[in-house]
Amino acid sequence: MTSEKLSGLARLTDAAFLSEQGKLAKLSRKEAELRAQLAHLLEDRAMTAHADRPLGDAALAAGADIRWHQWIAVRQTRLNAELLQIMELKRLQLRNVRKAHGRAQALEQLTLRAQADARRKKAARQDRDIG
């Protein structure tokens, strides 16, 4: 394959690699966002658990604190499920990134070999023309 064709393919594989990296970065940002939401939720739960409330507190008497803790538990479960899905997608995407990187590296090696072959052929022609 000619050096020009290999260079064109190299540009395409580099673009594919960058695209796969971009997808991985997007998943990583989503994972960080979910982890931050979970941390914030757990902080809120800890703050309400340690809050001193008088026995006559209306929210306490109405059971709002119980509903609040139930809501936190449901929200935490949902966030953990979403986080698990994102982590699995990220694991699969990492495989795609590695594959794209391998293709780019292989094509780079092919390009270097093609260029070296072209230089050798050119040198052999020059030697033959001189001699």
Side-chain angles (χ1 to χ4, degrees):
M1 189 173 276
T2 67
S3 181
E4 290 176 16
K5 288 181 182 178
L6 286 173
S7 293
L9 280 174
R11 283 191 298 275
L12 287 175
T13 57
D14 286 343
F17 175 62
L18 291 175
S19 173
E20 296 299 332
Q21 276 187 321
K23 292 174 187 175
L24 181 63
K26 184 177 178 181
L27 289 169
S28 293
R29 285 190 300 274
K30 181 66 177 173
E31 178 187 7
E33 177 186 316
L34 287 169
R35 288 185 186 278
Q37 287 179 18
L38 275 165
H40 184 70
L41 190 67
L42 295 176
E43 286 173 15
D44 286 350
R45 183 176 68 187
M47 284 182 7
T48 57
H50 297 296
D52 290 332
R53 293 195 180 180
L55 293 175
D57 188 296
L60 187 64
D65 60 331
I66 293 171
R67 285 192 286 283
W68 171 250
H69 286 287
Q70 287 172 340
W71 179 86
I72 287 179
V74 168
R75 182 74 177 136
Q76 183 180 5
T77 300
R78 287 182 183 156
L79 287 173
N80 278 325
E82 192 175 346
L83 179 61
L84 185 62
Q85 289 174 340
I86 292 297
M87 289 173 66
E88 179 61 15
L89 289 173
K90 188 176 167 185
R91 183 186 68 80
L92 294 172
Q93 186 58 36
L94 188 56
R95 184 185 304 164
N96 293 340
V97 168
R98 287 179 178 143
K99 192 182 295 185
H101 182 260
R103 287 181 181 138
Q105 291 294 308
L107 201 51
E108 182 181 338
Q109 291 301 315
L110 285 173
T111 302
L112 291 174
R113 284 186 205 153
Q115 290 170 348
D117 286 346
R119 283 192 297 273
R120 277 195 300 276
K121 287 179 183 178
K122 183 178 179 180
R125 272 194 314 269
Q126 288 176 345
D127 286 348
R128 188 180 63 228
D129 290 344
I130 293 175

